[in-house]
Amino acid sequence: MTASQTSILAYYKMDRGKMNALQTEIYNLIKECNALSNRDIARILNREICTVTGRVNELQKMGLVRSWAKKRDPVTNHTVCIWEVCA
């Protein structure tokens, strides 16, 4: 990771208070359950998968969540990321 990347991550971690409501809801769910894919999160929150995927990607760019494992999704039969909270 370059110096500029670590600076950006540090900035986002300091700015965590500016997460929107859905980002906060997803962050808290991942923090609580720690073994969820995007589809799992979408199902639990009764949201569209595309909405959840975008918010999880934003949280990942902020340095707040990261992929820690993979599993096979029973619906799509694709390998998907399992998320955990970093901060």
Side-chain angles (χ1 to χ4, degrees):
M1 197 175 284
T2 68
S4 63
Q5 288 173 319
T6 55
S7 296
I8 291 168
L9 290 176
Y11 169 78
Y12 278 124
K13 284 182 182 180
M14 289 181 351
D15 207 31
R16 188 178 344 158
K18 295 195 177 186
M19 288 190 292
N20 66 39
L22 185 53
Q23 289 170 331
T24 302
E25 189 174 13
I26 291 170
Y27 176 86
N28 290 334
L29 183 62
I30 293 170
K31 187 175 182 179
E32 184 179 313
C33 297
N34 240 8
L36 300 173
S37 68
N38 289 346
R39 186 172 305 283
D40 296 330
I41 296 166
R43 182 181 41 78
I44 291 167
L45 298 179
N46 197 28
R47 300 282 186 157
E48 294 293 325
I49 184 73
C50 58
T51 301
V52 168
T53 300
R55 300 312 67 79
V56 171
N57 288 339
E58 292 164 359
L59 292 171
Q60 184 180 28
K61 287 178 185 173
M62 290 179 191
L64 299 174
V65 300
R66 67 178 170 207
S67 171
W68 67 274
K70 304 269 187 196
K71 76 173 186 178
R72 184 141 323 260
D73 185 289
V75 175
T76 64
N77 204 32
H78 291 120
T79 302
V80 296
C81 294
I82 303 301
W83 301 102
E84 73 174 349
V85 168
C86 298

